[in-house]
Amino acid sequence: MSSKHRINRAFKRAKELPLNESSKYILFSDCHRGDNSFADDFARNRKIYHYALSQYFRKEFTYIELGDGDELWENKFVNIFNANKYIYLLLQKFHQQNRLYFIWGNHDMNYRKPKNVAKNFNSYYDTIDGKKKELMPNASFSEAIKLVQEDGKSIFLLHGHQADWFNYTFWKFSRFLVRVLWRPLQIHGIKDPTSPAQNFKGLIKVERRLEEWVKSNNNQMIITGHTHRPRFPSKNKLPHFNDGSCVHPRCITGLEIENNEITLIKWHVVTKEDGTMQITRSVLEGPKKITDYI
């Protein structure tokens, strides 16, 4: 099956959400939430991520996670949850207000099956009082999402590994390599070459395949993750955006959609003149009108 066929299939089956003047979406991806071990890339940005997401919750944004939220290739979910319990309890608040949507990527491909979603997200065991509690029953996981305007034009959201044959077709073999070989080596600073984020040639190939799909589909606006490389094209370029990742060395990046505009942002720690440290939001690109792209 070609990457074009995989992307076409995801586009046809995509869940649809409204896109209008009142829409407020925050898009993050590639959190790779881990177990707080030395191999956990998310650990260094956990507080930044939690603070940023709490601000979006307060401002009534809907959160869409574009895949690879949980690092299931390296960890069991129970260990991920225990290391990030307060993150999941914040996600629970979004879920309770119907403002939470997940897209599955290659590292959390298990969530293609509803039974695996239910097993991990329906409930959790609270070690404080020894009781089983509700977490996020019926959590929404999809391969793709379309944000659709009244005129039918849309923004297509997916993880992007559909354009990466090795990490889609052979994802179980990739998972095996990561668990057995690359995770132990990662502790010593050796990066995983199966990841396009660590393999520049692979990254370029994935982006090229995605852009070929955009061209062949009347310049359909698309937002992906997977490569960890933020993209924010000018209006005369192909409308292929990427929200980056939450495992950059010193920051997390994402895309905001608000007031019919799109903005590439980062959240990071800055040191103030008095020596105190503060988590702050910076604009990297935009805001630009969505009508410039669709």
Side-chain angles (χ1 to χ4, degrees):
M1 185 187 300
S2 68
S3 60
K4 181 178 179 181
H5 180 82
R6 290 191 292 268
I7 299 169
N8 281 336
R9 183 179 62 182
F11 185 77
K12 292 175 182 177
R13 298 177 178 179
K15 178 189 288 290
E16 295 188 356
L17 299 176
L19 178 63
N20 51 51
E21 253 185 45
S22 63
S23 298
K24 298 169 71 173
Y25 294 106
I26 172 60
L27 314 180
F28 288 129
S29 74
D30 298 275
C31 299
H32 295 276
R33 288 181 289 267
D35 62 355
N36 204 31
S37 68
F38 286 109
D40 182 1
D41 291 330
F42 178 70
R44 59 177 169 255
N45 290 335
R46 184 185 294 117
K47 291 181 180 179
I48 297 175
Y49 174 85
H50 183 271
Y51 178 78
L53 208 56
S54 67
Q55 299 307 299
Y56 290 118
F57 178 78
R58 183 175 61 82
K59 295 176 181 179
E60 300 184 337
F61 276 72
T62 292
Y63 177 41
I64 303 178
E65 192 165 88
L66 270 62
D68 284 3
D70 295 336
E71 183 46 78
L72 297 180
W73 282 11
E74 298 182 7
N75 311 285
K76 293 182 179 179
F77 179 77
V78 63
N79 295 330
I80 298 173
F81 179 85
N82 289 336
N84 298 278
K85 180 178 177 181
Y86 73 116
I87 298 288
Y88 289 99
L89 294 182
L90 176 55
L91 292 172
Q92 181 189 57
K93 293 181 179 180
F94 280 91
H95 177 73
Q96 290 170 342
Q97 296 188 10
N98 297 315
R99 294 196 278 132
L100 179 64
Y101 298 91
F102 294 106
I103 288 174
W104 44 262
N106 50 310
H107 282 252
D108 50 13
M109 204 109 145
N110 279 349
Y111 294 146
R112 291 184 304 174
K113 297 182 179 180
K115 67 176 183 179
N116 292 333
V117 174
K119 177 183 176 182
N120 289 353
F121 286 87
N122 278 7
S123 61
Y124 70 98
Y125 180 77
D126 192 336
T127 56
I128 295 176
D129 56 16
K131 294 181 180 179
K132 194 174 183 179
K133 295 183 178 180
E134 185 175 271
L135 185 57
M136 290 176 269
N138 302 312
S140 174
F141 273 86
S142 311
E143 182 175 8
I145 291 173
K146 282 191 280 191
L147 305 180
V148 185
Q149 294 185 152
E150 288 185 2
D151 62 4
K153 293 180 179 180
S154 65
I155 303 175
F156 181 37
L157 315 177
L158 79 167
H159 182 60
H161 67 301
Q162 291 80 359
D164 183 351
W165 67 273
F166 189 79
N167 279 304
Y168 190 98
T169 305
F170 298 107
W171 70 274
K172 289 185 179 180
F173 180 63
S174 295
R175 180 181 63 183
F176 171 79
L177 289 177
V178 168
R179 284 182 177 176
V180 175
L181 181 60
W182 299 115
R183 188 175 191 270
L185 292 177
Q186 185 181 18
I187 296 173
H188 300 286
I190 299 175
K191 300 299 183 181
D192 172 17
T194 66
S195 167
Q198 308 296 340
N199 182 336
F200 187 72
K201 288 183 178 179
L203 180 153
I204 295 300
K205 287 180 180 179
V206 168
E207 291 182 347
R208 187 178 67 243
R209 293 182 192 122
L210 288 165
E211 289 175 357
E212 287 172 355
W213 184 88
V214 170
K215 288 179 185 177
S216 64
N217 284 270
N218 197 30
N219 284 355
Q220 167 68 49
M221 183 176 175
I222 187 172
I223 301 176
T224 63
H226 188 53
T227 66
H228 296 200
R229 181 162 83 154
R231 290 175 60 95
F232 196 96
S234 57
K235 67 178 182 180
N236 60 335
K237 300 291 185 180
L238 284 175
H240 174 204
F241 292 75
N242 190 301
D243 62 2
S245 83
C246 294
V247 290
H248 297 297
R250 290 170 293 277
C251 70
I252 67 174
T253 59
L255 287 164
E256 296 174 356
I257 295 174
E258 184 180 15
N259 299 322
N260 276 332
E261 294 179 326
I262 185 166
T263 308
L264 177 66
I265 51 85
K266 77 171 181 178
W267 290 83
H268 56 119
V269 175
V270 297
T271 304
K272 300 169 68 176
E273 289 185 3
D274 62 2
T276 59
M277 303 180 78
Q278 177 181 334
I279 299 172
T280 188
R281 169 188 173 276
S282 297
V283 173
L284 298 178
E285 297 283 352
K288 296 290 184 182
K289 293 181 180 179
I290 289 174
T291 52
D292 289 343
Y293 300 97
I294 63 175

